[in-house]
Amino acid sequence: MDFRRIEMIFLIVFLALDVFLLASYTQKGSNATYNTTPTVTNEQAIIKDMKDDHITVPKLSNDKGEGYYLASQTEDVLAKNTKELSSQSTSYNYDTHKLTSQFNVPIGYGKNNVVTVLKGFVENEHNVLHGQEYVYQSGMSDAKSTIVFAQKTKQGVIIDPQGTLTFKISNGSVTGYTQTYLPNVTVLREKQTTISARDAIELLYTSSEISQNSKIVWYKLGYSELIDVRGSIIYVPVWNVMIQHKGTKNETLKKVNALTKTIIKGTTTTDSSSSSASSSSTTVDADD
């Protein structure tokens, strides 16, 4: 037997195998190069669908935050302390727990910024009860008719009818305000992760809560009422999303539970008001 011939045959087979393996590897590398084009994610597809439906969407954050389950007792604290207020006449509604104030002399602000004037005004306890516990909300305000402040707590801001201070403007002067206040806010459970602004708005869209030809004018994370249990009201972090309908200019406020990622039914629709796109936050911020 010609061992040298057999040796040559094995060498040729070995070299052929090497060539085959090298060719296969090169082909795979070539294919990988062609597959580097980024794929469209589900989030990108939803945003594209919204744009195709002529929905104007501001820049959305994917950042998640933290929030709590809070509780507050229904108490008429404001009614008990109106005697501390000066230069105004007040009335109190025990059904809505709302204080209404009318200034004896309207506050003129001339060329000054009305928001700056009112920020200083609320700092005085004789002007507004617990005034230092409220922060200005630009997205909820209309410089021509109403300036809105929201109550803040250690856990975050309250975006709810029961924690709101609203000043009324008429003919270039501030004539009075309405106020609600949550006393003794307590934490029921340890902090939990909240969904992002993008999560909330995509949920509203995929649930047909945002119609075509709409504009998201502002969105903000804050605490809103979940349930009333025997006089103790439970509050949770909620994404508040104001949607303007381009045809009618009417605005609708939508709410999404930021802990359970569920839509809170029952929306508020108003006539067009000034709503600038407010900055959102990944925590329940206490300011705007």
Side-chain angles (χ1 to χ4, degrees):
M1 181 179 292
D2 190 348
F3 288 99
R4 186 169 183 78
R5 184 179 178 186
I6 295 174
E7 184 180 35
M8 288 299 296
I9 292 174
F10 274 112
L11 180 60
I12 293 171
V13 171
F14 179 76
L15 290 174
L17 181 60
D18 280 349
V19 172
F20 173 76
L21 292 175
L22 179 62
S24 298
Y25 178 81
T26 304
Q27 182 65 29
K28 288 181 179 179
S30 176
N31 289 341
T33 301
Y34 288 109
N35 289 334
T36 56
T37 303
T39 57
V40 177
T41 66
N42 188 49
E43 290 180 351
Q44 292 172 327
I46 292 176
I47 294 299
K48 182 180 183 302
D49 288 344
M50 293 178 74
K51 291 181 178 180
D52 290 342
D53 283 338
H54 305 289
I55 298 172
T56 304
V57 185
K59 184 178 180 180
L60 300 176
S61 172
N62 271 321
D63 295 336
K64 301 181 186 299
E66 296 175 333
Y68 303 80
Y69 281 89
L70 302 179
S72 177
Q73 297 290 325
T74 302
E75 299 178 14
D76 296 300
V77 193
L78 297 178
K80 300 174 183 177
N81 298 291
T82 54
K83 60 182 181 296
E84 299 179 12
L85 298 171
S86 61
S87 302
Q88 54 191 284
S89 58
T90 62
S91 60
Y92 189 81
N93 187 318
Y94 284 88
D95 293 327
T96 60
H97 312 289
K98 180 181 291 185
L99 173 69
T100 300
S101 170
Q102 188 75 21
F103 297 144
N104 295 343
V105 178
I107 301 174
Y109 49 89
K111 295 183 180 180
N112 297 320
N113 186 298
V114 63
V115 175
T116 302
V117 172
L118 290 177
K119 281 183 177 179
F121 181 83
V122 300
E123 292 292 319
N124 189 327
E125 189 72 9
H126 295 294
N127 294 333
V128 177
L129 298 173
H130 308 284
Q132 295 181 355
E133 298 180 40
Y134 291 83
V135 287
Y136 170 63
Q137 301 297 309
S138 62
M140 301 168 66
S141 300
D142 180 348
K144 295 181 180 179
S145 59
T146 55
I147 300 296
V148 179
F149 288 69
Q151 184 183 343
K152 63 180 178 180
T153 68
K154 292 180 180 179
Q155 294 73 34
V157 68
I158 306 294
I159 306 295
D160 187 89
Q162 288 307 311
T164 303
L165 173 64
T166 304
F167 288 94
K168 299 178 181 178
I169 298 177
S170 179
N171 298 321
S173 296
V174 184
T175 59
Y177 63 84
T178 58
Q179 180 186 10
T180 52
Y181 177 74
L182 296 179
N184 305 320
V185 176
T186 58
V187 175
L188 294 181
R189 297 176 59 180
E190 291 298 320
K191 61 185 176 183
Q192 300 181 45
T193 301
T194 61
I195 64 173
S196 67
R198 181 183 291 273
D199 291 334
I201 291 174
E202 287 180 355
L203 174 64
L204 289 172
Y205 175 71
T206 55
S207 301
S208 300
E209 295 288 336
I210 304 177
S211 60
Q212 295 181 351
N213 300 306
S214 296
K215 176 183 179 181
I216 297 173
V217 290
W218 61 264
Y219 58 92
K220 187 170 182 65
L221 185 64
Y223 286 95
S224 294
E225 179 179 345
L226 176 65
I227 190 172
D228 187 339
V229 182
R230 299 177 182 177
S232 182
I233 304 176
I234 311 302
Y235 293 86
V236 294
V238 168
W239 277 108
N240 297 265
V241 182
M242 184 65 79
I243 302 167
Q244 184 183 86
H245 308 284
K246 296 177 182 178
T248 63
K249 297 295 184 180
N250 287 341
E251 295 180 345
T252 302
L253 181 63
K254 302 284 186 177
K255 292 176 173 284
V256 176
N257 187 320
L259 295 180
T260 61
K261 197 178 180 181
T262 55
I263 297 172
I264 299 175
K265 295 298 182 180
T267 59
T268 302
T269 302
T270 61
D271 291 334
S272 177
S273 61
S274 70
S275 297
S276 58
S278 69
S279 299
S280 70
S281 172
T282 56
T283 57
V284 189
D285 279 350
D287 55 9
D288 190 58

